[in-house]
Amino acid sequence: MTQQAMALGPVMVDVAGTELTEQEKQRLLHPSVGGVILFARNFENRAQLNALCTEIHALRQPALLIAVDHEGGRVQRFKDDGFTHLPAMRELGRIWDSDPALAVKLATALGYILAAELRACGVDFSFTPVLDLDYECSAVIGDRAFHSKPQTVARLAEALAHGLQQAGMGACGKHFPGHGAVEADSHHEVPVDERDLVTILDNDAAPYGWLGGTVIQAVMPAHVIYPTIDPKPAGFSEYWLQRVLRQALAYNGMIFSDDLTMEGATVAGDILARAEAALQAGCDMVLVCNRPDLADELLQRLHWTMSNESSQRLLDLFPIDEALEWDALQADEHYQQAQQLRSQYFSATAA
């Protein structure tokens, strides 16, 4: 396949199955596309996943970024054919309460396993870790959160990110400034968080400021409205993304929108209005998932050139070293040590 040379665009889309259709190839060649997000439906086995990633990467130069939601627990897209079933991150928080040093060590090991296995199959990036605090009221966050204390969340997220980086992968903190204090699920509702700015900054948003762009190379804002601060959801809010994240917290990494087809995004209007609102607010890239019709509509109507800063942030997410192939990874001493440590505390098959 001949690679087409073109700059990467500001839209990340998905694909329907385990191999590309001709229509999908044409969609991925659109100048506004810059990445592809994979789901469980895109995985049959490791050989197939590797072939799909190779096909996607071969379409363009520079290659499209291939990403996935692969956190552990109930949010892990690939669980068969050798992929380690990673625990929910709350399990690390529970271990922290009795042995913080062990929890940090385990978080680094799990981060390495997560990233090394994905990279061995051609995936570049995972949208992890969750930095939301566990207020025990959000079903959609729940055990995806490390802990209720921001200091603990930051320390465990830093350790997990260190493990990701050991395998050559960046990290993405989500969902800024915090989704954990609302019951509503932004996939199906428009969540509203009535708390004040000081409370959110001192607690939920604190890990983002502490970690910064050198540890968490990307951030994904929440489709949550914080009406005492701004009537717009955070992902469409210049106040949250520019004044708070970029300026007050001095964050300089990549900002991805959450999926623009989620119910929490509909307050911004149709798919073009949502994308423009997110990009104008400060997102570098927007996601359109599970609605190829809306992806095609957006690509047809959107006129947006990525800034040099946004383009560089995106390029910085690509791994710079060659990944170990699967068989070589199994024989790698670092991977074996990480797996040995994991197996002492977690089952390899219990998600």
Side-chain angles (χ1 to χ4, degrees), residues 15-314:
V15 295
T18 55
E19 57 186 28
L20 297 182
T21 66
E22 287 303 317
Q23 183 178 8
E24 286 170 340
K25 291 176 186 177
Q26 292 307 308
R27 182 180 300 128
L28 298 186
L29 286 170
H30 193 284
S32 291
V33 173
V36 178
I37 181 169
L38 301 181
F39 291 91
R41 66 173 182 267
N42 303 122
F43 177 74
E44 191 174 83
N45 54 58
R46 288 186 286 106
Q48 168 271 320
L49 177 61
N50 217 326
L52 176 61
C53 291
T54 298
E55 187 176 18
I56 292 170
H57 280 147
L59 285 172
R60 293 169 62 161
Q61 182 59 41
L64 297 169
L65 183 78
I66 300 178
V68 66
D69 285 314
H70 204 82
E71 304 167 9
R74 56 196 163 91
V75 182
Q76 180 176 335
R77 303 308 186 200
F78 315 137
K79 293 185 176 181
D80 300 319
D81 197 19
F83 271 97
T84 302
H85 286 215
L86 301 162
M89 294 298 103
R90 178 188 283 171
E91 296 304 312
L92 290 171
R94 288 174 177 162
I95 292 172
W96 171 279
D97 288 336
S98 59
D99 192 338
L102 174 61
V104 166
K105 190 175 181 180
L106 283 166
T108 303
L110 293 177
Y112 180 76
I113 293 168
L114 185 161
E117 290 182 350
L118 289 177
R119 290 208 58 211
C121 294
V123 178
D124 302 308
F125 188 73
S126 178
F127 291 110
T128 190
V130 168
L131 299 185
D132 301 316
L133 305 188
D134 183 9
Y135 289 98
E136 299 184 357
C137 69
S138 173
V140 71
I141 301 301
D143 63 1
R144 297 165 66 192
F146 288 106
H147 206 271
S148 60
K149 296 179 179 178
Q151 297 91 339
T152 302
V153 169
R155 187 66 190 93
L156 291 174
E158 180 182 34
L160 186 91
H162 182 55
L164 297 174
Q165 289 166 356
Q166 288 176 348
M169 183 177 287
C172 178
K174 58 187 187 184
H175 306 81
F176 177 81
H179 199 312
V182 290
E183 292 184 29
D185 178 353
S186 54
H187 291 83
H188 310 293
E189 303 171 73
V190 183
V192 177
D193 188 335
E194 300 282 357
R195 294 176 302 156
D196 62 88
L197 179 62
V198 172
T199 299
I200 295 171
L201 290 181
D202 287 350
N203 295 280
D204 304 64
Y208 294 89
W210 294 333
L211 296 172
T214 57
V215 177
I216 302 293
Q217 292 78 22
V219 163
M220 178 177 284
H223 286 321
V224 176
I225 297 174
Y226 308 86
T228 65
I229 298 129
D230 192 327
K232 301 175 183 176
F236 302 127
S237 166
E238 185 177 343
Y239 184 92
W240 279 114
L241 300 186
Q242 297 294 335
R243 291 185 61 181
V244 177
L245 186 58
R246 291 285 190 216
Q247 296 173 22
L249 301 182
Y251 183 75
N252 60 1
M254 183 82 173
I255 302 178
F256 288 96
S257 81
D258 206 343
D259 178 13
L260 295 183
T261 71
M262 290 163 57
E263 185 62 28
T266 59
V267 295
D270 66 9
I271 192 64
L272 177 63
R274 297 174 212 175
E276 289 179 337
L279 293 166
Q280 290 166 3
C283 288
D284 299 293
M285 176 170 274
V286 297
L287 276 69
V288 182
C289 308
N290 304 309
R291 288 291 303 273
D293 57 326
L294 292 183
D296 286 339
E297 179 185 346
L298 178 62
L299 296 176
Q300 183 178 5
R301 298 173 63 196
L302 179 67
H303 300 286
W304 186 275
T305 301
M306 292 184 82
S307 67
N308 291 335
E309 293 82 3
S310 291
S311 295
Q312 189 58 55
R313 291 178 190 128
L314 177 57

